[in-house]
């Protein structure tokens, strides 16, 4: 029987409270765990519906005795953001009290974990994985969050650091299905990209944003680097941010399709006792996140889109036109890379310098901070 735990977050003021509902399916104590959360950016609704469908499927699989792993699902991972609105518009990406992006600045603890486990490692990767997880948990448990957002981030990490698969369900503004994941774990994440039909798979070791998926993958990679040549440290988990298209792409058909893709991946990974679905081809090869071309508005005015999201474009293709509504002048923006136009902003009036959208690219173009605001 599935279990629901309720976790109360640190209140922001007297008399207020936010709660996380943590649904657990399948056997605990098998040593295998899957963690899925949706709505960390609380105005990104498609993932919440995917999570709802996923829970329906997991409940049925649990009743049939087919789950081989504990599956933890938070279909609303950010009640703080979900409760925010400004003048009638939902605002779930940033914490209104602090201005912080809910999916940036997660605690990065590789250095402290490394210090704590010196002398406790041996030549067995599975032993070292358990040692890392234990030290990580102790550090998170010891932290004393002062702000509700810190408590939210700490709690989401506490719930997920011992999972073998960690999926963070997001969406973009207007977008095709795409994913972000760690370069070191791409081989393990690739089947998920196939089942999802990801038009783009964007890889980085460190995007600089301390996002939730990187708080997992980058920590393991940093520990691997620290102990390289001395002790084997495994990848720890496969953590992936899934962008379930654009904010308005909310339908039962899409959500059900995406939930089935996740179930297929969990089956492939041995978490579900069922026949493995054949792996579909990967729509496009993975590309470095640092290779994506970011377009900016060259002028202020009305924005016209020339290319649909998800399209494959060639270098030189016209991507956008900005029309000055007073003078009628038009300024075009062309792609300088060939790749997939995987996301674009949803505004139709832009100011000079505003970001417009992104195309994948194979060559590294950017360095440092690679994510959007
Ligand atoms: Zn997001």
């Amino acid at each position: 029987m599935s279990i629901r735990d309720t976790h109360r977050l640190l209140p922001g003021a007297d008399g207020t409270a936010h709660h996380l509902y943590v649904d657990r399916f399948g056997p605990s104590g098998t040593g295998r765990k899957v963690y899925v959360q949706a709505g960390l950016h609380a105005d990104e609704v498609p993932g919440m519906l995917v999570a709802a469908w996923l829970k329906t499927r997991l409940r049925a699989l649990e009743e049939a005795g087919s789950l081989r792993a504990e599956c933890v699902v938070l279909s609303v991972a950010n009640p703080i953001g979900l409760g925010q609105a400004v003048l009638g518009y939902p605002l779930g990406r940033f914490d209104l009290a602090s201005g912080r992006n809910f999916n940036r600045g997660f605690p990065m603890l590789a250095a402290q974990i490394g210090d704590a486990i010196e002398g406790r490692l041996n030549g067995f990767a599975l032993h070292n994985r358990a040692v890392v997880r234990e030290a990580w948990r102790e550090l998170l448990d010891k932290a004393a969050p002062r702000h509700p957002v810190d408590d939210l981030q700490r709690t989401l990490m506490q719930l997920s650091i011992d999972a073998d698969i960690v999926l963070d369900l997001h969406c973009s503004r207007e977008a095709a299905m795409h994913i972000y994941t760690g370069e070191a774990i791409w081989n393990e994440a690739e089947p998920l990209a196939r089942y999802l039909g990801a038009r783009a798979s964007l890889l980085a070791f460190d995007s600089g944003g301390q996002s939730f998926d990187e708080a997992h993958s980058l920590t393991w990679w940093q520990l691997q680097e620290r102990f390289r040549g001395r002790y084997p440290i495994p990848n720890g988990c496969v953590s992936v941010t899934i962008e379930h298209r654009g904010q308005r792409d909310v339908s039962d058909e899409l959500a059900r399709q995406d939930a089935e893709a996740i179930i297929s991946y969990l089956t492939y990974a041995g978490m579900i006792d069922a026949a493995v679905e054949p792996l579909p081809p990967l729509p496009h090869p993975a590309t470095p996140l640092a290779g994506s071309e970011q377009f900016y508005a060259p002028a202020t005015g009305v924005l016209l889109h020339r290319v649909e999201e998800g399209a494959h474009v060639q270098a030189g293709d016209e991507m956008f036109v900005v029309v000055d509504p007073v003078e009628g002048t038009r300024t075009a923006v062309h792609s300088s890379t060939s790749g997939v136009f995987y996301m674009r902003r949803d505004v139709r009036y832009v100011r000079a310098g505003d970001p417009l959208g992104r195309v994948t690219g194979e060559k590294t173009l950017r360095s440092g901070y690679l994510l959007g605001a």
Side-chain angles (χ1 to χ4, degrees):
M1 277 295 287
S2 61
I3 297 168
R4 171 167 295 164
D5 298 331
T6 302
H7 180 94
R8 185 173 188 267
L9 292 171
L10 191 71
D14 290 331
T16 67
H18 289 105
H19 297 88
L20 290 173
Y21 299 115
V22 182
D23 290 307
R24 298 174 191 273
F25 306 86
S28 59
T30 61
R32 284 193 276 196
K33 180 172 164 181
V34 174
Y35 175 89
V36 182
Q37 69 177 30
L40 174 56
H41 283 147
D43 46 10
E44 298 176 3
V45 178
M48 296 190 214
L49 190 61
V50 174
W53 275 107
L54 194 60
K55 288 198 291 190
T56 301
R57 287 288 273 121
L58 290 173
R59 199 168 291 120
L61 287 163
E62 179 181 54
E63 280 164 16
S66 302
L67 292 182
R68 290 176 175 160
E70 181 184 24
C71 298
V72 175
V73 183
L74 276 74
S75 35
V76 175
N78 181 5
I80 302 170
L82 198 57
Q84 294 183 159
V86 175
L87 303 176
Y89 288 90
L91 202 156
R93 186 175 182 82
F94 299 92
D95 173 44
L96 278 178
S98 64
R100 285 169 60 183
N101 183 320
F102 287 110
N103 194 24
R104 303 286 184 273
F106 268 83
M108 303 299 291
L109 300 173
Q112 293 95 311
I113 296 167
D115 291 347
I117 61 177
E118 285 278 3
R120 289 165 59 192
L121 301 171
N122 65 24
F124 297 94
L126 279 182
H127 166 84
N128 296 340
R129 187 180 72 174
V131 168
V132 168
R133 285 176 174 171
E134 191 186 328
W136 201 342
R137 184 168 301 289
E138 281 168 12
L139 285 163
L140 288 167
D141 289 350
K142 261 198 313 204
R146 282 184 299 231
H147 190 279
V149 178
D150 296 324
D151 191 33
L152 175 70
Q153 292 188 334
R154 192 265 290 257
T155 305
L156 298 178
M157 292 306 293
Q158 283 171 320
L159 290 166
S160 57
I161 53 163
D162 56 348
D164 307 289
I165 294 173
V166 174
L167 304 179
D168 193 12
L169 314 189
H170 287 248
C171 71
S172 192
R173 307 285 281 273
E174 292 179 358
M177 167 64 78
H178 60 284
I179 67 165
Y180 295 92
T181 192
E183 213 162 318
I185 52 175
W186 169 238
N187 281 346
E188 293 161 90
E190 196 240 27
L192 175 64
R194 289 176 182 240
Y195 286 122
L196 287 166
R199 300 284 296 167
S201 302
L202 300 151
L203 310 184
F205 282 107
D206 182 3
S207 69
Q210 302 179 0
S211 59
F212 177 74
D213 80 276
E214 281 193 352
H216 290 272
S217 56
L218 181 58
T219 299
W220 287 102
W221 185 70
Q222 287 172 332
L223 289 166
Q224 285 170 354
E225 290 297 297
R226 175 163 173 170
F227 294 103
R228 191 171 298 285
R230 291 198 286 152
Y231 300 107
I233 306 286
N235 282 335
C237 77
V238 182
S239 65
V240 182
T241 295
I242 306 174
E243 303 283 345
H244 294 269
R245 307 173 194 82
Q247 275 174 316
R248 295 186 194 182
D249 293 324
V250 180
S251 73
D252 266 339
E253 288 72 25
L254 289 172
R256 210 170 169 170
Q257 177 187 319
D258 293 351
E260 283 307 318
I262 292 170
I263 292 289
S264 294
Y265 177 62
L266 298 183
T267 307
Y268 175 92
M271 304 297 178
I272 295 168
D273 187 11
V276 175
E277 295 286 328
L279 272 175
L282 188 67
H284 292 283
T287 50
L289 178 57
S292 290
E293 179 173 8
Q294 168 80 271
F295 301 99
Y296 295 96
T300 299
V302 176
L303 179 69
L304 300 175
H305 289 278
R306 291 300 194 224
V307 180
E308 288 303 308
E309 61 269 39
H312 194 278
V313 300
Q314 299 298 325
D317 283 358
E318 185 177 276
M319 304 296 299
F320 309 92
V321 174
V322 179
V323 183
D324 179 331
V326 180
E327 302 297 338
T329 50
R330 291 174 169 244
T331 314
V333 179
H334 298 87
S335 181
S336 56
T337 25
S338 296
V340 177
F341 182 43
Y342 60 94
M343 65 82 67
R344 66 188 196 189
R345 290 189 68 215
D346 53 353
V347 291
R348 296 296 184 266
Y349 184 88
V350 290
R351 293 164 188 82
D354 281 352
L356 302 177
R358 290 182 173 195
V359 166
T360 62
E362 286 158 30
K363 287 195 214 100
T364 298
L365 297 172
R366 303 175 297 136
S367 61
Y369 186 75
L370 300 176
L371 297 170

